[in-house]
Amino acid sequence: MHPHIERVLCTESEIQARIADLAVEISGRLGDEPLTVVGVLNGAVVFVSDLIRHLRAPLELAFVSASSYRGGTTSGALELDFLPKRSSIEGRRVLLVDDILDTGKTMRALMDEFRGNGAAEVFGCVLLDKPSRRVVDCGAEFVGFSIEDAFVVGYGLDYRGLYRNLPYIGVLKPEHAAAAASN
Ligand code: 5GP
Ligand code: MG
């Protein structure tokens, strides 16, 4: 285990087994119709790349980048820096894939954006859900693990840009996560 990690919430084998099951759930609900899978950069990159290898429907892969506005506003407005081309969304069924559902603002804003751009249907899929942190009304149709309110890293999730390459999900030791709560 990485020396900065205090404890592991989801091991590598638990994550891989859950993703295989999630893919069965997704295929069972969405069938074999064409799909656009949209991963949210950067955190969902590891998850989405493992997930799509279990999906059998013909799919396009696209990415979006969303970040909270910084500096003097607590509105929670999101800046969408990088969007899939319109033809990947318009009239298509979209599976929006993020690493974690926290306040729900990211998922809510992106679902609204894709519906506004004419997606036929939008489904949400997250590896992790922290239901106790929700501030906007938003859920995901497909959830890997529901977890406690702790700041986690690994398997795509970072703290100050680090730890994305860990194959498991863990909680940082307090001395390595001074400002994690405000991240
Ligand atoms: P939301 O908009 O739901 O509040 O936030 C979702 C985004 O916040 C995630 O895509 C992720 O980037 C970040 N986030 C929320 N909780 C955590 C966490 O525990 N660890 C890390 N590394 N990022 C988190
Ligand atoms: Mg994110």
Side-chain angles (χ1 to χ4, degrees), residues 157-171:
L157 291 117
D158 74 307
Y159 173 57
R160 295 183 172 170
L162 298 176
Y163 311 109
R164 294 191 196 278
N165 52 322
L166 301 181
Y168 50 82
I169 301 281
V171 178

PDB file of all heavy atoms in Angstrom, residues 157-171:
ATOM      1  N   LEU A 157      -8.962   9.161  -9.036  1.00  0.00           N
ATOM      2  CA  LEU A 157      -9.217  10.319  -8.171  1.00  0.00           C
ATOM      3  C   LEU A 157      -7.902  10.851  -7.602  1.00  0.00           C
ATOM      4  O   LEU A 157      -7.049  10.067  -7.167  1.00  0.00           O
ATOM      5  CB  LEU A 157     -10.161   9.932  -7.031  1.00  0.00           C
ATOM      6  CG  LEU A 157     -11.584   9.631  -7.483  1.00  0.00           C
ATOM      7  CD1 LEU A 157     -11.935   8.191  -7.183  1.00  0.00           C
ATOM      8  CD2 LEU A 157     -12.571  10.575  -6.833  1.00  0.00           C
ATOM      9  N   ASP A 158      -7.793  12.190  -7.581  1.00  0.00           N
ATOM     10  CA  ASP A 158      -6.522  12.794  -7.175  1.00  0.00           C
ATOM     11  C   ASP A 158      -6.652  13.629  -5.915  1.00  0.00           C
ATOM     12  O   ASP A 158      -7.745  13.979  -5.482  1.00  0.00           O
ATOM     13  CB  ASP A 158      -6.023  13.729  -8.288  1.00  0.00           C
ATOM     14  CG  ASP A 158      -6.815  15.026  -8.339  1.00  0.00           C
ATOM     15  OD1 ASP A 158      -8.059  14.962  -8.413  1.00  0.00           O
ATOM     16  OD2 ASP A 158      -6.196  16.102  -8.278  1.00  0.00           O
ATOM     17  N   TYR A 159      -5.492  13.947  -5.355  1.00  0.00           N
ATOM     18  CA  TYR A 159      -5.369  15.044  -4.402  1.00  0.00           C
ATOM     19  C   TYR A 159      -4.203  15.875  -4.906  1.00  0.00           C
ATOM     20  O   TYR A 159      -3.080  15.365  -5.015  1.00  0.00           O
ATOM     21  CB  TYR A 159      -5.103  14.530  -2.983  1.00  0.00           C
ATOM     22  CG  TYR A 159      -4.799  15.650  -2.017  1.00  0.00           C
ATOM     23  CD1 TYR A 159      -5.701  16.689  -1.843  1.00  0.00           C
ATOM     24  CD2 TYR A 159      -3.610  15.678  -1.315  1.00  0.00           C
ATOM     25  CE1 TYR A 159      -5.416  17.735  -0.980  1.00  0.00           C
ATOM     26  CE2 TYR A 159      -3.317  16.715  -0.441  1.00  0.00           C
ATOM     27  CZ  TYR A 159      -4.226  17.748  -0.286  1.00  0.00           C
ATOM     28  OH  TYR A 159      -3.955  18.790   0.564  1.00  0.00           O
ATOM     29  N   ARG A 160      -4.478  17.131  -5.301  1.00  0.00           N
ATOM     30  CA  ARG A 160      -3.464  18.006  -5.890  1.00  0.00           C
ATOM     31  C   ARG A 160      -2.732  17.324  -7.044  1.00  0.00           C
ATOM     32  O   ARG A 160      -1.516  17.393  -7.154  1.00  0.00           O
ATOM     33  CB  ARG A 160      -2.481  18.479  -4.824  1.00  0.00           C
ATOM     34  CG  ARG A 160      -3.179  19.354  -3.789  1.00  0.00           C
ATOM     35  CD  ARG A 160      -2.217  19.883  -2.765  1.00  0.00           C
ATOM     36  NE  ARG A 160      -2.869  20.863  -1.908  1.00  0.00           N
ATOM     37  CZ  ARG A 160      -2.332  21.358  -0.796  1.00  0.00           C
ATOM     38  NH1 ARG A 160      -1.152  20.958  -0.402  1.00  0.00           N
ATOM     39  NH2 ARG A 160      -2.998  22.234  -0.080  1.00  0.00           N
ATOM     40  N   GLY A 161      -3.482  16.608  -7.856  1.00  0.00           N
ATOM     41  CA  GLY A 161      -2.928  16.003  -9.057  1.00  0.00           C
ATOM     42  C   GLY A 161      -2.282  14.645  -8.875  1.00  0.00           C
ATOM     43  O   GLY A 161      -1.950  13.982  -9.861  1.00  0.00           O
ATOM     44  N   LEU A 162      -2.126  14.206  -7.631  1.00  0.00           N
ATOM     45  CA  LEU A 162      -1.436  12.935  -7.387  1.00  0.00           C
ATOM     46  C   LEU A 162      -2.417  11.798  -7.044  1.00  0.00           C
ATOM     47  O   LEU A 162      -3.579  12.050  -6.773  1.00  0.00           O
ATOM     48  CB  LEU A 162      -0.434  13.095  -6.233  1.00  0.00           C
ATOM     49  CG  LEU A 162       0.683  14.099  -6.485  1.00  0.00           C
ATOM     50  CD1 LEU A 162       1.563  14.245  -5.234  1.00  0.00           C
ATOM     51  CD2 LEU A 162       1.541  13.702  -7.680  1.00  0.00           C
ATOM     52  N   TYR A 163      -1.891  10.595  -7.068  1.00  0.00           N
ATOM     53  CA  TYR A 163      -2.551   9.354  -6.606  1.00  0.00           C
ATOM     54  C   TYR A 163      -3.532   8.742  -7.619  1.00  0.00           C
ATOM     55  O   TYR A 163      -4.146   7.725  -7.330  1.00  0.00           O
ATOM     56  CB  TYR A 163      -3.269   9.538  -5.260  1.00  0.00           C
ATOM     57  CG  TYR A 163      -2.431  10.191  -4.189  1.00  0.00           C
ATOM     58  CD1 TYR A 163      -2.698  11.488  -3.766  1.00  0.00           C
ATOM     59  CD2 TYR A 163      -1.347   9.518  -3.627  1.00  0.00           C
ATOM     60  CE1 TYR A 163      -1.917  12.093  -2.780  1.00  0.00           C
ATOM     61  CE2 TYR A 163      -0.573  10.119  -2.643  1.00  0.00           C
ATOM     62  CZ  TYR A 163      -0.856  11.412  -2.228  1.00  0.00           C
ATOM     63  OH  TYR A 163      -0.087  11.999  -1.264  1.00  0.00           O
ATOM     64  N   ARG A 164      -3.706   9.343  -8.802  1.00  0.00           N
ATOM     65  CA  ARG A 164      -4.684   8.807  -9.765  1.00  0.00           C
ATOM     66  C   ARG A 164      -4.328   7.397 -10.201  1.00  0.00           C
ATOM     67  O   ARG A 164      -5.181   6.632 -10.625  1.00  0.00           O
ATOM     68  CB  ARG A 164      -4.745   9.686 -11.022  1.00  0.00           C
ATOM     69  CG  ARG A 164      -5.284  11.085 -10.782  1.00  0.00           C
ATOM     70  CD  ARG A 164      -5.547  11.766 -12.135  1.00  0.00           C
ATOM     71  NE  ARG A 164      -5.707  13.204 -12.038  1.00  0.00           N
ATOM     72  CZ  ARG A 164      -6.827  13.836 -11.704  1.00  0.00           C
ATOM     73  NH1 ARG A 164      -7.901  13.144 -11.418  1.00  0.00           N
ATOM     74  NH2 ARG A 164      -6.882  15.146 -11.659  1.00  0.00           N
ATOM     75  N   ASN A 165      -3.020   7.062 -10.145  1.00  0.00           N
ATOM     76  CA  ASN A 165      -2.549   5.775 -10.649  1.00  0.00           C
ATOM     77  C   ASN A 165      -2.672   4.631  -9.644  1.00  0.00           C
ATOM     78  O   ASN A 165      -2.392   3.484  -9.994  1.00  0.00           O
ATOM     79  CB  ASN A 165      -1.088   5.902 -11.096  1.00  0.00           C
ATOM     80  CG  ASN A 165      -0.205   6.512 -10.019  1.00  0.00           C
ATOM     81  OD1 ASN A 165      -0.627   7.423  -9.309  1.00  0.00           O
ATOM     82  ND2 ASN A 165       1.003   6.018  -9.889  1.00  0.00           N
ATOM     83  N   LEU A 166      -3.114   4.907  -8.431  1.00  0.00           N
ATOM     84  CA  LEU A 166      -3.294   3.791  -7.486  1.00  0.00           C
ATOM     85  C   LEU A 166      -4.428   2.897  -8.002  1.00  0.00           C
ATOM     86  O   LEU A 166      -5.463   3.405  -8.420  1.00  0.00           O
ATOM     87  CB  LEU A 166      -3.644   4.307  -6.086  1.00  0.00           C
ATOM     88  CG  LEU A 166      -2.622   5.235  -5.424  1.00  0.00           C
ATOM     89  CD1 LEU A 166      -3.098   5.642  -4.033  1.00  0.00           C
ATOM     90  CD2 LEU A 166      -1.263   4.558  -5.345  1.00  0.00           C
ATOM     91  N   PRO A 167      -4.276   1.587  -7.936  1.00  0.00           N
ATOM     92  CA  PRO A 167      -5.324   0.703  -8.479  1.00  0.00           C
ATOM     93  C   PRO A 167      -6.493   0.490  -7.527  1.00  0.00           C
ATOM     94  O   PRO A 167      -7.432  -0.233  -7.865  1.00  0.00           O
ATOM     95  CB  PRO A 167      -4.571  -0.603  -8.755  1.00  0.00           C
ATOM     96  CG  PRO A 167      -3.404  -0.591  -7.837  1.00  0.00           C
ATOM     97  CD  PRO A 167      -3.039   0.852  -7.596  1.00  0.00           C
ATOM     98  N   TYR A 168      -6.459   1.093  -6.354  1.00  0.00           N
ATOM     99  CA  TYR A 168      -7.527   0.944  -5.356  1.00  0.00           C
ATOM    100  C   TYR A 168      -7.991   2.333  -4.913  1.00  0.00           C
ATOM    101  O   TYR A 168      -7.387   3.350  -5.265  1.00  0.00           O
ATOM    102  CB  TYR A 168      -7.003   0.152  -4.145  1.00  0.00           C
ATOM    103  CG  TYR A 168      -5.695   0.670  -3.603  1.00  0.00           C
ATOM    104  CD1 TYR A 168      -5.649   1.753  -2.727  1.00  0.00           C
ATOM    105  CD2 TYR A 168      -4.477   0.106  -4.003  1.00  0.00           C
ATOM    106  CE1 TYR A 168      -4.444   2.255  -2.260  1.00  0.00           C
ATOM    107  CE2 TYR A 168      -3.262   0.612  -3.536  1.00  0.00           C
ATOM    108  CZ  TYR A 168      -3.255   1.687  -2.672  1.00  0.00           C
ATOM    109  OH  TYR A 168      -2.061   2.202  -2.223  1.00  0.00           O
ATOM    110  N   ILE A 169      -9.070   2.374  -4.131  1.00  0.00           N
ATOM    111  CA  ILE A 169      -9.600   3.627  -3.584  1.00  0.00           C
ATOM    112  C   ILE A 169      -9.255   3.667  -2.099  1.00  0.00           C
ATOM    113  O   ILE A 169      -9.578   2.719  -1.365  1.00  0.00           O
ATOM    114  CB  ILE A 169     -11.144   3.685  -3.708  1.00  0.00           C
ATOM    115  CG1 ILE A 169     -11.605   3.559  -5.167  1.00  0.00           C
ATOM    116  CG2 ILE A 169     -11.702   4.956  -3.044  1.00  0.00           C
ATOM    117  CD1 ILE A 169     -11.498   4.799  -5.985  1.00  0.00           C
ATOM    118  N   GLY A 170      -8.608   4.769  -1.680  1.00  0.00           N
ATOM    119  CA  GLY A 170      -8.220   4.849  -0.282  1.00  0.00           C
ATOM    120  C   GLY A 170      -8.375   6.250   0.275  1.00  0.00           C
ATOM    121  O   GLY A 170      -8.614   7.220  -0.459  1.00  0.00           O
ATOM    122  N   VAL A 171      -8.226   6.324   1.588  1.00  0.00           N
ATOM    123  CA  VAL A 171      -8.292   7.597   2.308  1.00  0.00           C
ATOM    124  C   VAL A 171      -6.869   8.001   2.669  1.00  0.00           C
ATOM    125  O   VAL A 171      -6.092   7.165   3.165  1.00  0.00           O
ATOM    126  CB  VAL A 171      -9.153   7.437   3.590  1.00  0.00           C
ATOM    127  CG1 VAL A 171      -9.205   8.740   4.375  1.00  0.00           C
ATOM    128  CG2 VAL A 171     -10.566   6.966   3.221  1.00  0.00           C
TER     129      VAL A 171
END
